[in-house]
Amino acid sequence: MHEPTSAAPEDSTPPQGPTLFDWEFATDPYPAYAWLREHSPVHRTKLPSGVEAWLVTRYADARQALADQRLSKNPAHHAEPAHAKGKTGIPGERKAELMTHLLNIDPPDHTRLRRLVSKAFTPRRVAEFTPRVQELTDHLIDQFVSKGEADLIHEFAFPLPIYAICEMLGVPREDQDDFRDWAGMMIRHGGGPRGGVARSVKQMRTYLGELIHRKRDDLGNDLISDLIRASDHGDHLTEAEATAMAFILLFAGFETTVNLIGNGVHALFMNPDQRTRLQDSLAAGESGLLETGIEELLRYDGPVELATWRFATEPLTLGGQDIAAGDPVLVVLAAADRDPERFVDPDTLDLSRTDNQHLGYGHGIHYCLGAPLARLEGQTALATLLKRLPDLELAVPSNELRWRGGLIMRGLRTLPVRFTARNI
């Protein structure tokens, strides 16, 4: 007989954490975020830029952090030396003198500037823009519908919000292709030539400054004209603020929608039962499933993976973790929106989900100003694609798709599709 062996001592070594921010993580970050939620919900890590920051991954903590006034948007509160500050925002925005925008300021300046532009994105004004969004959507599909194949990112998801926000800002149509080129460089992140993002930011800033000067003599019914009118009527909007505002509305107003459309179509490909439900609903002339479906796609695999930078202005405790003054804090929206403590079956795509207070567009005073426009563009794009190209399918195996590297946004580099070619 064998002697009974004593039980092995319980291993007190903490579990090994996941690798973050490599290409495998970019493809599917959700298992890593699940580990962080369970084992290290407020997690200090070194980012690819070399900056150390706290990642907040649980829904309750994320919602608290997004509304906590002790977490400032102003990079001046970053405790690291000045050279590190350029690693925490949009490349080139500091040199281009574009720092005074909504993503980098706190009240009272944030309150003042947000009030000036909020009327441009009211549900009523967005509704008035609906026919133009539909025209742009159909026009883009018309460009490739006869080919039977397309890259839905570069031929559809990318140009749609660029042209839409350009028209809302009042960029003349003959100049909009320049914006498309500059914006294309900006979303390529590390995939373009060295310094290309900063150069594009500088070119965009120069153009916007010149456009503001031109519009002073010929005001129209557009957002830049509204900013000029506000400045001229004593709302204390400086020319630098007006330029920075126009810049961030363009920058924040297109990449989120590119990813909403791209990630949304991809999620429907990966969940064919949900895609069939949506197509059947659209064919019946219903809109309810499309409306809840967009919210679910925002939650399930949304366009913004991490909320933009925040910096602790004083020592604070978040999720049981002490955070020092000056420390950067990044709220991981993608992790919070799959928290099983908040959402039933969070890793399941359910287009009819109604209990869905996701954080895809943030929370608190920095809630995304352009959310109504993005929702309109997302709903119009998905509905039109599914109705006009009902047999749309991936043209490559899903494991061959590549996701863009980057810290804040989550989106595909390309989305090759095929379908039955049709004459317009």
Side-chain angles (χ1 to χ4, degrees), residues 129 132 136 163-171 173 176 222:
F129 199 55
R132 182 57 183 151
L136 290 169
Y163 292 138
I165 195 65
C166 277
E167 293 204 9
M168 290 197 79
L169 285 169
V171 176
R173 292 193 181 182
Q176 291 179 9
D222 56 71

Side-chain angles (χ1 to χ4, degrees), residues 55-305:
L55 303 180
V56 181
T57 57
R58 288 181 179 169
Y59 182 91
D61 297 335
R63 190 174 169 91
Q64 175 190 336
L66 291 171
D68 195 324
Q69 295 185 4
R70 297 171 298 174
L71 292 174
S72 168
K73 299 292 291 175
N74 190 338
H77 290 293
H78 192 184
E80 292 199 23
H83 73 272
K85 295 178 184 176
K87 300 178 181 179
T88 61
I90 301 169
E93 66 176 353
R94 183 177 298 276
K95 287 186 178 180
E97 299 179 349
L98 288 170
M99 294 294 290
T100 54
H101 57 67
L102 290 174
L103 297 185
N104 285 340
I105 57 175
D106 304 313
D109 285 335
H110 177 270
T111 308
R112 173 175 59 89
L113 294 180
R114 188 179 176 101
R115 185 184 70 247
L116 293 177
V117 296
S118 60
K119 60 184 179 181
F121 296 101
T122 61
R124 178 180 177 181
R125 186 155 183 178
V126 169
E128 292 172 351
F129 199 55
T130 299
R132 182 57 183 151
V133 172
Q134 185 65 64
E135 287 177 8
L136 290 169
T137 301
D138 281 319
H139 173 72
L140 290 169
I141 294 176
D142 289 346
Q143 303 305 300
F144 59 75
V145 69
S146 63
K147 297 191 303 179
E149 60 181 16
D151 175 0
L152 276 190
I153 299 298
H154 292 282
E155 296 180 68
F156 183 69
F158 172 66
L160 174 59
I162 280 287
Y163 292 138
I165 195 65
C166 277
E167 293 204 9
M168 290 197 79
L169 285 169
V171 176
R173 292 193 181 182
E174 62 268 22
D175 296 338
Q176 291 179 9
D177 284 338
D178 289 335
F179 269 82
R180 180 174 176 169
D181 292 342
W182 296 331
M185 179 59 69
M186 291 163 70
I187 71 166
R188 288 169 69 184
H189 301 300
R194 184 177 180 84
V197 175
R199 282 195 297 274
S200 294
V201 168
K202 184 177 180 181
Q203 289 171 314
M204 197 175 289
R205 190 255 184 266
T206 300
Y207 174 84
L208 287 170
E210 294 171 350
L211 182 61
I212 288 171
H213 276 295
R214 294 203 309 269
K215 280 188 174 291
R216 283 192 181 279
D217 299 323
D218 185 22
L219 295 177
N221 184 28
D222 56 71
L223 186 47
I224 289 180
S225 294
D226 287 347
L227 293 175
I228 294 170
R229 289 189 188 96
S231 180
D232 291 345
H233 286 82
D235 274 320
H236 310 298
L237 187 72
T238 68
E239 183 173 310
E241 287 175 333
T243 305
M245 180 70 74
F247 166 76
I248 201 58
L249 290 173
L250 179 77
F251 182 79
F254 82 89
E255 190 172 6
T256 52
T257 308
V258 175
N259 296 345
L260 170 58
I261 298 170
N263 297 6
V265 172
H266 176 259
L268 293 178
F269 283 148
M270 297 299 101
N271 295 270
D273 59 324
Q274 295 295 304
R275 182 234 181 111
T276 298
R277 286 182 66 196
L278 181 55
Q279 285 186 292
D280 291 346
S281 174
L282 293 170
E286 301 167 352
S287 61
L289 192 63
L290 177 64
E291 292 170 2
T292 59
I294 283 292
E295 302 309 309
E296 174 69 346
L297 292 169
L298 282 162
R299 182 202 68 82
Y300 180 77
D301 196 11
V304 184
E305 191 166 342

